[in-house]
C-alpha cells in the first residue's frame, strides 16, 4: 500500500495570513498519463469531508480560489493564501493512483 | 442534485456481521467512470478508505480488511451495500459512502452513519 504522510499535524494560523500543508507519498503518484492522482479534502468540525483539490492542482467546484494545490510525484502542497475562520478543520490528502486508496493522517488547522 | 445517505444498525455486538446501505440519487452507477466507495472514521481519528465499486462492477478493498468486507450494488434501487463480518469494538466508527470517479475525486459524500460495536 502507498503510505501518505502530512506535515504539520497541527497548524495554528491567524486570519488573513497564509497557510501551507505538505503531503508526501511513499511512491510516485504520477501516472503515465501525466496526471498526479492526489486529492485534498477538508473536514470541518461535525461535518463530512469535502473535496477541495483533485489531480494535485485542480480546485473542485465551488472551492474558493484562495485554495491552491501544487506538486508532483511524491511531494505535494496545499496552500491557503489568506486563511478565513471557515477554513478551520482537518485537511487530508488522499492518493488515488492505485487501490487501496490511502489517506494521510490529517492536518488540523486552528485559529 | 447528487445525494448519498448511509443507513444501518447503530449498535452491533462483537463477532456480528454488519450491513450498511448507501442510497444515492442524482447519478447512475451504470455511467462510465463512476464509482461509489466506503470510508470510515473512528471517533477522533483519521479517515480510512475501505472499499469501492466501479460502474463496470469492478470491486476493490482495503488490504487489511479485505477478508471481512464485501461491497455490492443494487442498481435498480440505486444502492451500494457494504458488509463487514466479525465486528470488533475497534470497528466503532462513522461510516461514510462517497461518489467518485475512475480514480479518487470523491466529490460527494453522505452524512455518515455511526456504528458502535459493544456487548
Amino acid at each position: 500500500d502507498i503510505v501518505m504522510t502530512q506535515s504539520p499535524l497541527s497548524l495554528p494560523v491567524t486570519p488573513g495570513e497564509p497557510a501551507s500543508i505538505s503531503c508526501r507519498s511513499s511512491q510516485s503518484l504520477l501516472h503515465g498519463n501525466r496526471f498526479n492522482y492526489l486529492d485534498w479534502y477538508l473536514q470541518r468540525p461535525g461535518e463530512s469531508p469535502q473535496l477541495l483539490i483533485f489531480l494535485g492542482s485542480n480546485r473542485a467546484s465551488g472551492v474558493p480560489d484562495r485554495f491552491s494545490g501544487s506538486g508532483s510525484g511524491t511531494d505535494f502542497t496545499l496552500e491557503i493564501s489568506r486563511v478565513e475562520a471557515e477554513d478551520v478543520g482537518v485537511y487530508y490528502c488522499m492518493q488515488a493512483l492505485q487501490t487501496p486508496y490511502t489517506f494521510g493522517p490529517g492536518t488540523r488547522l486552528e485559529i | 442534485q447528487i445525494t448519498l445517505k448511509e443507513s444501518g444498525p447503530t449498535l452491533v455486538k462483537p463477532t456480528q456481521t454488519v450491513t450498511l446501505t448507501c442510497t444515492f440519487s442524482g447519478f447512475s452507477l451504470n455511467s462510465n467512470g463512476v464509482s461509489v466507495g466506503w470510508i470510515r472514521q473512528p471517533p477522533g481519528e483519521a479517515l480510512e478508505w475501505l472499499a469501492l465499486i466501479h460502474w463496470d462492477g469492478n470491486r476493490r478493498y482495503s488490504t487489511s480488511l479485505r477478508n471481512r468486507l464485501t461491497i455490492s450494488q443494487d442498481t435498480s434501487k440505486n444502492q451500494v451495500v457494504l458488509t463487514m463480518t466479525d465486528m470488533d469494538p475497534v470497528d466503532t466508527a462513522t461510516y461514510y459512502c462517497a461518489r467518485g470517479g475512475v480514480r479518487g475525486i470523491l466529490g460527494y459524500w453522505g452524512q455518515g452513519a455511526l456504528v458502535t460495536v459493544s456487548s
Side-chain angles (χ1 to χ4, degrees):
Chain A
D1 296 3
I2 296 177
V3 177
M4 306 298 292
T5 57
Q6 291 181 232
S7 63
L9 298 184
S10 180
L11 182 58
V13 296
T14 302
E17 294 297 307
S20 179
I21 300 171
S22 173
C23 173
R24 290 185 172 174
S25 56
S26 61
Q27 302 175 36
S28 174
L29 303 184
L30 181 61
H31 191 273
N33 61 11
R34 304 180 76 171
F35 287 119
N36 285 283
Y37 285 94
L38 186 283
D39 299 338
W40 287 97
Y41 298 87
L42 164 61
Q43 186 175 32
R44 295 189 174 101
E47 297 185 5
S48 301
Q50 67 172 96
L51 176 68
L52 292 177
I53 303 287
F54 62 95
L55 296 177
S57 61
N58 295 272
R59 271 190 304 276
S61 176
V63 174
D65 60 7
R66 64 179 181 274
F67 289 93
S68 63
S70 63
S72 183
T74 61
D75 292 299
F76 299 87
T77 302
L78 175 71
E79 293 183 323
I80 310 173
S81 58
R82 294 174 305 279
V83 172
E84 297 188 6
E86 67 178 20
D87 301 336
V88 165
V90 182
Y91 291 79
Y92 295 94
C93 58
M94 185 194 83
Q95 69 81 18
L97 178 69
Q98 64 186 58
T99 54
Y101 297 163
T102 43
F103 288 93
T107 295
R108 183 175 301 276
L109 187 144
E110 47 200 18
I111 293 179
Chain B
Q1 181 187 5
I2 291 176
T3 64
L4 303 97
K5 187 174 184 178
E6 306 86 353
S7 59
T10 57
L11 179 65
V12 300
K13 296 184 186 307
T15 75
Q16 286 187 336
T17 294
V18 68
T19 297
L20 298 170
T21 300
C22 175
T23 303
F24 57 85
S25 64
F27 68 96
S28 171
L29 192 45
N30 288 328
S31 298
N32 193 22
V34 174
S35 64
V36 173
W38 286 91
I39 303 96
R40 72 178 179 180
Q41 185 174 39
E45 297 187 25
L47 301 171
E48 179 184 13
W49 184 87
L50 299 177
L52 71 80
I53 186 165
H54 286 290
W55 77 99
D56 59 2
N58 206 340
R59 297 166 173 80
R60 292 289 184 263
Y61 296 100
S62 158
T63 301
S64 60
L65 295 171
R66 65 173 57 251
N67 291 335
R68 299 174 51 207
L69 295 173
T70 302
I71 190 170
S72 61
Q73 61 176 305
D74 185 333
T75 308
S76 64
K77 294 181 180 179
N78 279 354
Q79 292 179 332
V80 170
V81 176
L82 182 74
T83 301
M84 181 179 290
T85 62
D86 194 23
M87 293 292 283
D88 183 272
V90 300
D91 297 313
T92 294
T94 296
Y95 288 75
Y96 297 98
C97 64
R99 176 193 183 271
V102 174
R103 280 194 174 94
I105 313 181
L106 306 178
Y108 299 90
W109 293 64
Q111 64 190 24
L114 176 62
V115 178
T116 301
V117 184
S118 175
S119 55

